[in-house]
């Protein structure tokens, strides 16, 4: 398999709130900024359309083919750029639960892929924070592995990061890049965000681009930010400043990735025979 050409990517950081139109305008502004810096792929955070009380999200949930998709597609065309449009609250016919849905738009504006968050954030943290995403969101079942300018790219969302088997499936399917829209809490992010991102990069020898929400949101939430891009050796190539509307931008060198995979061939050295023999399923 040939080595892809270098790819400039941008992890776009936002501080979305309860107003979908204001959030969409902020997303368009940060995509404009990514284009000015020459990004070929821009990744937006989770929940671009709405950050606020879970019980209010259903009121702003929208069908996939709505205003959000149309304006993201228009930005992709205007900037000749790939956009992984973070996620939005997708209204689903026939169910009382939404989907947490990311959409991939090609430079011609076509929506070429959809990923619905698989692992839902049901937690009780020791700082008193409690959240049950599954009360209002239904999980997705399908992976999204896309060819972005010759770069096989796997998509996941936020809490998915804690499930390494998902990313290993992408790597074994040929992924070179892993893209993660997120809205990590400040409490969990301070402890685990960079640690988990670097682990997924190192164990799968992939580049990782992770775009996060940052700042407070009603009623008592606070997102961690620290949107970043990491190389297959685990080195942080770029990290966004601690405010909304900022970027982490880096050029991905896939020749370097090939070199890492040759020097430490951990993917090639997997004992597939043993895993299959012992029927080890994760």
């Amino acid at each position: 398999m040939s080595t892809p050409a270098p790819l400039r990517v941008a992890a776009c950081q936002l501080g979305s709130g309860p107003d979908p139109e204001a959030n969409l305008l902020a997303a368009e502004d940060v995509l404009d900024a990514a284009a000015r810096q020459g990004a070929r792929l821009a990744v937006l955070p989770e929940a671009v359309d709405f950050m606020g009380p879970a019980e209010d999200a259903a009121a702003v949930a929208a069908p996939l083919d709505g205003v959000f998709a149309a304006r993201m597609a228009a930005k992709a065309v205007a900037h000749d750029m790939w956009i992984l449009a973070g996620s939005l609250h997708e209204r689903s016919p026939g169910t009382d639960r939404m989907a947490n849905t990311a959409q991939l738009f090609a430079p011609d504006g076509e929506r070429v892929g959809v990923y619905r968050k698989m692992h839902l954030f049901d937690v009780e943290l020791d700082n008193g924070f409690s959240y049950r995403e599954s009360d209002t969101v239904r999980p997705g079942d399908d992976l999204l592995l896309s060819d972005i300018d010759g770069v096989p790219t796997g998509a996941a969302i936020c809490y998915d990061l804690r499930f390494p088997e998902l990313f290993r499936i992408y790597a074994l399917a040929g992924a070179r890049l892993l893209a993660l829209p997120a809205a990590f809490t400040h409490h969990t992010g301070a402890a685990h965000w960079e640690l988990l991102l670097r682990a997924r990069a190192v164990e799968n020898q992939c580049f990782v681009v992770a775009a996060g929400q940052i700042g407070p949101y009603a009623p008592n939430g606070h997102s961690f930010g620290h949107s970043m891009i990491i190389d297959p050796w685990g080195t942080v190539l770029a990290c966004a400043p601690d405010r909304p509307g900022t970027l982490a931008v880096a050029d991905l060198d896939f020749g370097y990735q090939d070199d890492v995979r040759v020097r430490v061939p951990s993917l090639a050295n997997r004992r597939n025979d043993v895993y299959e023999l012992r029927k080890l399923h994760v």
Side-chain angles (χ1 to χ4, degrees), residues 39 43 46 68 73 104 119 175 183 192 213:
V43 178
E46 181 182 23
F68 182 87
L104 178 64
H119 301 95
H192 298 148
Q213 294 279 357

Side-chain angles (χ1 to χ4, degrees), residues 78-248:
H79 296 311
D80 188 33
M81 182 169 66
W82 294 86
I83 298 173
L84 183 61
S87 76
L88 83 160
H89 297 80
E90 178 194 358
R91 184 183 304 135
S92 304
T95 176
D96 59 356
R97 290 192 295 170
M98 304 166 285
N100 187 338
T101 305
Q103 302 172 78
L104 178 64
F105 295 93
D108 64 1
E110 181 182 358
R111 184 174 57 220
V112 294
V114 172
Y115 175 81
R116 295 177 176 91
K117 187 177 183 180
M118 286 190 176
H119 301 95
L120 302 183
F121 190 53
D122 291 355
V123 300
E124 299 281 345
L125 302 179
D126 58 12
N127 69 339
F129 181 87
S130 175
Y131 196 84
R132 283 193 56 83
E133 189 175 19
S134 64
D135 285 348
T136 56
V137 175
R138 61 178 179 86
D141 297 317
D142 299 317
L143 280 66
L144 176 61
L145 182 65
S146 306
D147 185 306
I148 295 178
D149 286 359
V151 179
T153 302
I157 296 175
C158 200
Y159 190 52
D160 286 333
L161 182 61
R162 294 185 181 273
F163 299 85
E165 57 270 31
L166 170 59
F167 298 88
R168 178 50 53 94
I169 289 168
Y170 279 136
L172 294 178
R176 284 179 171 268
L177 173 61
L178 303 169
L180 185 86
F184 251 59
T185 71
H186 194 279
H187 183 68
T188 59
H192 298 148
W193 172 250
E194 182 176 333
L195 173 69
L196 289 168
L197 290 173
R198 295 179 69 190
R200 298 297 87 86
V202 170
E203 67 199 9
N204 296 299
Q205 298 182 318
C206 286
F207 289 97
V208 173
V209 53
Q213 294 279 357
I214 190 169
Y217 61 91
N220 59 355
H222 197 284
S223 297
F224 184 61
H226 291 76
S227 301
M228 60 179 61
I229 300 165
I230 299 166
D231 76 13
W233 195 249
T235 302
V236 177
L237 299 178
C239 184
D242 286 339
R243 60 182 184 276
T246 56
L247 302 167

